[in-house]
Amino acid sequence: AQRVTQPEKLLSVFKGAPVELKCNYSYSGSPELFWYVQYSRQRLQLLLRHISRESIKGFTADLNKGETSFHLKKPFAQEEDSAMYYCALRAAGGYQKVTFGTGTKLQVIP
Amino acid sequence: GAGVSQTPSNKVTEKGKYVELRCDPISGHTALYWYRQSLGQGPEFLIYFQGTGAADDSGLPNDRFFAVRPEGSVSTLKIQRTERGDSAVYLCASSLTWTSTDTQYFGPGTRLTVL
C-alpha cells in the first residue's frame, strides 16, 4: 500500500522567510513524487514533479529515499504563494493511480 | 484552449436519490480520471479511463458508484441511492495519455451535498 503524509495542516510564515512544506511517503517500490497546488478559487494544478528536477515559481523539492521524504522548499516566501499544497505519489512504471496527502495550507503573512 | 469542465458546479440532493456528474476533458486527451475530495482531505482516486474503457476502477467505494465514457470523451459519474457520506467535491482530470510524463489537468469540481 502507498501512503502520503503531510503532518502540517497549516503553515504560516512571514513574507521573505524561508518555506518548507513537509511530505513523507510510504511505498516499498520506486515512487514518483509530485507537488500540486490549489490557489484560492482556482483548480488543482501540478506544481512540480521529482523526475523533472526543476524549480517552479522558486520552489524546489528533492526526493530523499533514505528518509522517504519529498519536502517542498522556497528560500523567500511571497504573498502570492499562499495556497493549499498537496504532495502526491504514484508507483513508477506504466499506469498507476495517484495517491494524495491531506494537504498543507500555506499562509504568507505580509 | 479550454480546460477540463465539470457540470454542475454544485448539486444538492436528498438521501436516496440518484445523481449524475459530468466531465468534459480537454480535447484529444485519452486518459480521464475521477477523484473524490472530502472536507479536509486530499483527492482520493475513484476510477481511470483509457479511451472508452475503465482501466482501473479500484477506487470506487461500492456498487452504488458507476462511471461511463461511451465515446472516449465526455464521462459521467453516476451515484445511486445517495448517502450523506457521499457529500464531497468530485474532481475530474484528464491527460494526453496514461504515461507517467503526462500531466493531469483538473477540472473545477462538482460539489455534491446530500441532505
Side-chain angles (χ1 to χ4, degrees):
Chain A
Q2 51 199 50
R3 187 171 64 244
V4 177
T5 303
Q6 295 181 250
E8 302 142 327
K9 283 195 176 296
L10 173 67
L11 181 65
S12 296
V13 300
F14 285 102
K15 178 182 173 181
V19 175
E20 183 179 49
L21 299 170
K22 291 185 168 49
C23 171
N24 287 89
Y25 67 90
S26 173
Y27 180 65
S28 57
S30 180
E32 294 180 0
L33 276 297
F34 308 83
W35 277 100
Y36 283 81
V37 61
Q38 187 167 25
Y39 301 101
S40 179
R41 299 188 189 85
Q42 294 188 26
R43 57 190 69 189
L44 192 64
Q45 60 185 287
L46 179 66
L47 179 63
L48 56 79
R49 64 184 84 195
H50 91 271
I51 57 173
S52 301
R53 302 185 68 81
E54 57 198 345
S55 173
I56 303 293
K57 298 184 180 182
F59 285 98
T60 60
D62 290 318
L63 177 60
N64 185 324
K65 292 187 177 180
E67 296 183 358
T68 60
S69 68
F70 188 58
H71 304 326
L72 184 67
K73 300 178 182 179
K74 184 170 183 177
F76 308 104
Q78 303 298 315
E79 289 181 63
E80 56 265 29
D81 296 329
S82 295
M84 197 74 188
Y85 291 80
Y86 295 94
C87 183
L89 175 151
R90 178 171 62 190
Y95 159 72
Q96 297 289 346
K97 66 182 180 184
V98 178
T99 298
F100 285 83
T102 52
T104 297
K105 183 176 182 179
L106 175 64
Q107 183 182 59
V108 180
I109 304 165
Chain B
V4 177
S5 62
Q6 292 185 246
T7 54
S9 55
N10 280 283
K11 176 70 176 178
V12 180
T13 191
E14 293 179 343
K15 180 174 178 292
K17 298 290 187 183
Y18 168 82
V19 296
E20 288 189 353
L21 311 179
R22 176 187 168 109
C23 172
D24 281 84
I26 293 172
S27 178
H29 280 194
T30 61
L32 185 146
Y33 311 80
W34 283 99
Y35 295 86
R36 177 169 69 175
Q37 187 169 20
S38 301
L39 193 63
Q41 301 298 313
E44 176 191 18
F45 169 81
L46 295 177
I47 186 170
Y48 154 64
F49 286 91
Q50 179 56 37
T52 60
D56 182 356
D57 64 357
S58 62
L60 294 178
N62 52 59
D63 60 6
R64 295 187 297 106
F65 288 74
F66 189 71
V68 296
R69 193 185 186 201
E71 298 178 356
S73 178
V74 171
S75 176
T76 304
L77 179 65
K78 308 180 180 192
I79 311 174
Q80 298 178 319
R81 304 184 303 280
T82 52
E83 299 177 357
R84 292 196 180 88
D86 298 335
S87 296
V89 175
Y90 289 82
L91 296 170
C92 176
S94 72
S95 62
L96 189 60
T97 71
W98 53 262
T99 57
S100 61
T101 55
D102 287 338
T103 299
Q104 289 189 25
Y105 294 89
F106 282 81
T110 292
R111 182 175 299 277
L112 175 65
T113 303
V114 182
L115 302 176

